[in-house]
Amino acid sequence: TSYCLFEMGWLGFVLYFMLFFCLLVNFFRVYYKKTNQHVKYWASMGVVSVLATYMMAWYDDNVYYKYLPMYFFWGICIVAINYYRIKR
């Protein structure tokens, strides 16, 4: 938390976490609206990864490049959800 706050200030810190919050809301919305089990699986994995990123950012003073695998996993979740939407 202190690393993010030191680098970006309060405004950047709030905007950084609002990005995660918007992504979390999007994954929850997909999870509750869709009935396909594959889409629900990927949406739930997206929710878990966003919550894990919140925990990593709050309890650890890591630099941003250590979050890149999590960002990559979000991309995989979004692509998989869109694939099953198109496939339908």
Side-chain angles (χ1 to χ4, degrees):
T1 306
S2 62
Y3 183 80
C4 295
L5 196 55
F6 179 72
E7 282 285 319
M8 299 182 291
W10 278 105
L11 181 62
F13 183 71
V14 169
L15 291 176
Y16 186 65
F17 278 97
M18 286 304 292
L19 170 77
F20 296 152
F21 181 74
C22 291
L23 192 59
L24 182 70
V25 167
N26 187 22
F27 282 132
F28 267 125
R29 188 172 41 96
V30 168
Y31 182 80
Y32 286 116
K33 282 187 176 182
K34 300 300 177 185
T35 57
N36 187 347
Q37 291 300 318
H38 294 290
V39 173
K40 283 185 171 268
Y41 170 76
W42 284 108
S44 65
M45 289 287 96
V47 168
V48 169
S49 65
V50 170
L51 294 176
T53 305
Y54 268 126
M55 289 174 39
M56 286 185 342
W58 188 259
Y59 290 113
D60 198 14
D61 291 333
N62 284 334
V63 292
Y64 303 119
Y65 65 84
K66 291 188 178 181
Y67 299 127
L68 287 178
M70 198 64 71
Y71 298 153
F72 183 71
F73 186 69
W74 291 345
I76 291 173
C77 291
I78 291 169
V79 167
I81 289 169
N82 287 334
Y83 171 76
Y84 283 110
R85 283 183 183 172
I86 292 170
K87 187 178 174 184
R88 181 181 159 237

